[in-house]
């Protein structure tokens, strides 16, 4: 296996983790990962060094953005029961709370927070993934954290996202 | 104790994320020891990180399904030349968008990305309300705090009314207006000589854009989209002035989250 292939292979578990948190749906997440891998393999000849992992995160982030755009054109139905179920107590509830808090973020904010907190990317790497200056990464991150905090503190209506 | 440079929100965050230069870490720790609010905030951010990892960290340990077999995926990828070209296009697209951010596009073009209606609404509101003498706004600037809280609640995200005093423009107030996809916030500013500028903003699904001009009738507008919010600054008169107003508003709205905390 070439070094390039090897690097891709080694990144798959982390890509799955990122995709799962981003898409919050097992099937949609694995589809994103598969599409990312296919694109990466096709573009092998275009890759001239650098960090394969960051590049894969970039592809996946872009694919997810396209996915959300096409979803936005269709009406979304959410089960009411699903919304209400989360107030139950217990450790499960805590995990579901963070899930729902993440869902209340804008897509760019969610991407930044997950890349930093879950994937351990540096601000610079995130800036490259999103194609924005580092300052923008930091302000998105600050907004994401403020929003999650207010969500978890119970100020839910502040920024509900219907998506 | 000797006064140190206050710790900024950026630094506090960088500290949590392990991005702060070594020589500043001690300052942050000393600051946190005497600033319980910031300490609580830092703890909350850490707890968020922990919760995110607790929820999703385990996914990386799940056995990989066969669909991720690279040899098989490589074999199945046909027409790779076209696909590669597409991949390059979208990766470059991101980079160009970023570079474009540095400068306002000087050429007026029809708004893109589904923003036509949005910009038209903004300019329409501008034209209707700037001529009002007695009731230009619904809530006056004397109740600015209430205005921002109320509009934020209705529009669905935390708003800020930019401070344009540096350009001689004073906030006179704002109102709630219908937008193409939901409620929109509308702020009006006035100079000593009576010229008026308006800022119209609402949530939007459109992709981020750099600042762009749009000429609609007698008013000129500058619009942009950032983090799922679309903004339109409208005014009459010369473009350089409008440009300056829009850039000042843009800078404040983009960097609003990064103000210094006094403690």
């Amino acid at each position: 296996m070439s070094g390039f292939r090897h690097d891709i292979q080694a990144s798959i578990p982390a890509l799955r983790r990122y995709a799962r948190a981003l898409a919050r749906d097992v099937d949609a997440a694995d589809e994103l990962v598969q599409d990312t891998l296919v694109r990466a393999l096709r573009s092998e000849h275009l890759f001239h060094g650098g960090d394969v992992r960051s590049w894969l995160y970039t592809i996946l982030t872009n694919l997810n953005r396209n996915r959300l755009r096409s979803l936005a054109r269709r009406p979304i139905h959410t089960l009411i029961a699903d919304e209400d179920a989360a107030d139950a107590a217990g450790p499960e509830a805590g995990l579901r709370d963070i899930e729902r808090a993440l869902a209340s973020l804008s897509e760019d904010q969610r991407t930044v927070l997950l890349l930093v907190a879950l994937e351990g990317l540096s601000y610079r790497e995130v800036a490259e993934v999103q194609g924005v200056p580092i300052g923008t990464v930091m302000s998105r991150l600050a907004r994401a954290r403020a929003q999650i905090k207010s969500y978890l503190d119970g100020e839910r209506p502040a920024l509900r996202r219907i998506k | 104790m000797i006064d140190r440079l206050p710790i900024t929100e950026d630094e506090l965050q960088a500290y949590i994320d392990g991005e702060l230069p070594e020589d500043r870490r001690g300052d942050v720790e000393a600051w946190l020891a005497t600033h319980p609010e910031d300490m609580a905030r830092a703890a909350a951010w850490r707890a968020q990180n922990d919760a995110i990892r607790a929820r999703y960290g385990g996914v990386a340990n799940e056995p990989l399904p066969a669909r991720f077999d690279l040899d098989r995926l490589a074999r199945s990828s046909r027409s790779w030349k076209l696909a590669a070209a597409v991949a390059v296009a979208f990766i470059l697209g991101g980079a160009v968008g970023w570079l474009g951010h540095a400068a306002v596009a000087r050429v007026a073009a029809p708004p893109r990305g589904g923003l036509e209606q949005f910009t038209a609404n903004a300019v329409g509101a501008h034209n209707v309300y700037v001529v009002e003498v007695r009731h230009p706004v619904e809530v006056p600037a004397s109740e600015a705090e209430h205005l921002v809280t109320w509009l934020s609640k209705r529009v669905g995200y935390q708003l800020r009314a930019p401070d344009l005093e540096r350009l001689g423009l004073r906030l006179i107030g704002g109102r709630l207006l219908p937008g193409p996809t939901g409620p929109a916030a509308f702020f009006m500013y006035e100079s000593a000589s009576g010229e008026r500028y308006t800022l119209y903003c609402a949530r939007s699904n459109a992709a981020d854009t750099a600042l762009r001009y749009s000429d609609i009738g007698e008013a000129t507008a500058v619009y942009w989209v950032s983090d799922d919010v679309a903004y339109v600054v409208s005014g009459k008169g010369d473009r350089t002035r409008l440009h300056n107003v829009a850039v000042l508003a843009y800078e404040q709205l983009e960097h609003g989250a990064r103000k210094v905390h006094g403690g």
Side-chain angles (χ1 to χ4, degrees):
Chain A
M1 195 184 278
S2 69
F4 178 78
R5 283 273 179 98
H6 185 270
D7 287 350
I8 292 182
Q9 182 72 46
S11 305
I12 297 176
L15 286 176
R16 285 188 88 197
R17 176 178 59 204
Y18 172 54
R20 189 81 60 86
L22 207 54
R24 302 183 304 285
D25 176 285
V26 179
D27 293 333
D30 279 349
E31 205 156 300
L32 273 174
V33 174
Q34 185 174 336
D35 289 350
T36 301
L37 297 175
V38 168
R39 296 231 180 188
L41 290 169
R42 280 170 177 163
S43 315
E44 178 167 359
H45 64 295
L46 296 165
F47 189 78
H48 301 294
D51 186 13
V52 171
R53 199 179 58 126
S54 286
W55 181 58
L56 293 171
Y57 281 126
T58 308
I59 297 176
L60 199 151
T61 303
N62 285 328
L63 286 174
N64 185 54
R65 189 173 298 147
N66 298 344
R67 182 184 72 95
L68 293 178
R69 292 231 170 96
S70 63
L71 280 180
R73 289 186 212 110
R74 296 200 298 260
I76 302 292
H77 304 283
T78 310
L79 286 176
I80 291 167
D82 180 49
E83 290 288 316
D84 287 345
D87 294 317
E92 278 294 303
L95 296 182
R96 220 177 290 126
D97 274 351
I98 192 69
E99 218 177 301
R100 285 149 49 93
L102 283 168
S104 78
L105 299 179
S106 76
E107 192 214 335
D108 285 335
Q109 291 171 351
R110 187 161 52 238
T111 301
V112 169
L113 184 60
L114 291 175
L115 287 175
V116 171
L118 186 62
E119 302 305 323
L121 264 62
S122 69
Y123 293 169
R124 177 167 298 284
E125 287 170 323
V126 178
E128 278 163 19
V129 167
Q130 290 203 319
V132 297
I134 287 185
T136 305
V137 168
M138 295 180 76
S139 59
R140 282 177 181 170
L141 195 52
R143 275 183 250 171
R145 284 174 163 151
Q147 166 61 19
I148 293 218
K149 186 170 186 310
S150 73
Y151 186 92
L152 295 177
D153 288 349
E155 297 165 29
R156 295 189 181 180
L159 212 154
R160 260 331 270 251
R161 247 176 110 68
I162 301 157
K163 211 161 204 181
Chain B
M1 188 161 66
I2 303 163
D3 276 353
R4 296 170 202 271
L5 275 179
I7 303 300
T8 64
E9 174 129 0
D10 273 359
E11 286 182 308
L12 196 55
Q13 195 164 244
Y15 172 74
I16 295 298
D17 295 324
E19 295 256 343
L20 197 69
E22 196 61 46
D23 57 4
R24 186 70 168 146
R25 295 186 66 87
D27 292 343
V28 172
E29 279 154 15
W31 173 275
L32 289 178
T34 53
H35 294 81
E37 264 182 37
D38 284 339
M39 176 73 113
R41 200 160 38 172
W45 292 343
R46 278 218 176 92
Q48 289 178 15
N49 287 357
D50 292 345
I52 291 170
R53 288 183 204 129
R55 171 63 187 84
Y56 294 107
V59 176
N61 301 325
E62 291 175 13
L64 290 184
R67 66 189 295 187
F68 298 139
D69 183 90
L70 291 184
D71 290 332
R72 213 179 64 182
L73 289 176
R75 273 198 303 277
S76 69
S77 55
R78 296 200 179 85
S79 64
W80 58 269
K81 275 186 182 167
L82 176 65
V86 171
V88 170
F90 80 62
I91 291 165
L92 285 180
V96 169
W98 170 38
L99 293 174
H101 239 75
V104 175
R106 282 279 174 188
V107 184
R112 286 180 239 173
L115 291 166
E116 296 87 350
Q117 190 56 48
F118 190 83
T119 313
N121 279 25
V123 173
H126 176 90
N127 289 335
V128 168
Y129 292 112
V130 293
V131 297
E132 272 291 326
V133 178
R134 289 191 57 190
H135 306 294
V137 295
E138 207 169 350
V139 178
S142 55
E143 298 170 45
E145 204 173 306
H146 162 69
L147 171 67
V148 170
T149 311
W150 167 60
L151 289 178
S152 297
K153 207 171 142 197
R154 292 303 314 273
V155 175
Y157 72 100
Q158 185 55 53
L159 282 167
R160 272 161 48 89
D163 180 351
L164 304 177
E165 298 268 345
R166 212 172 81 204
L167 294 171
L169 293 170
R170 195 175 45 88
L171 179 69
I172 54 176
R175 58 172 72 237
L176 182 69
L177 290 173
T181 55
F186 184 75
F187 294 106
M188 194 182 296
Y189 294 81
E190 190 175 55
S191 74
S193 61
E195 55 168 351
R196 284 173 169 177
Y197 286 87
T198 59
L199 169 67
Y200 179 96
C201 46
R203 305 217 69 168
S204 166
N205 289 325
D208 282 12
T209 67
L211 277 68
R212 295 179 197 281
Y213 279 107
S214 167
D215 273 313
I216 302 180
E218 48 184 328
T220 308
V222 172
Y223 67 95
W224 71 92
V225 180
S226 172
D227 273 354
D228 298 317
V229 179
Y231 303 88
V232 183
V233 172
S234 315
K236 296 186 178 66
D238 95 59
R239 272 196 169 193
T240 311
R241 172 87 165 143
L242 177 68
H243 169 106
N244 293 339
V245 172
V247 168
L248 183 59
Y250 172 82
E251 282 171 356
Q252 290 188 22
L253 293 165
E254 269 302 282
H255 302 294
R258 294 189 293 137
K259 55 180 181 282
V260 172
H261 284 267

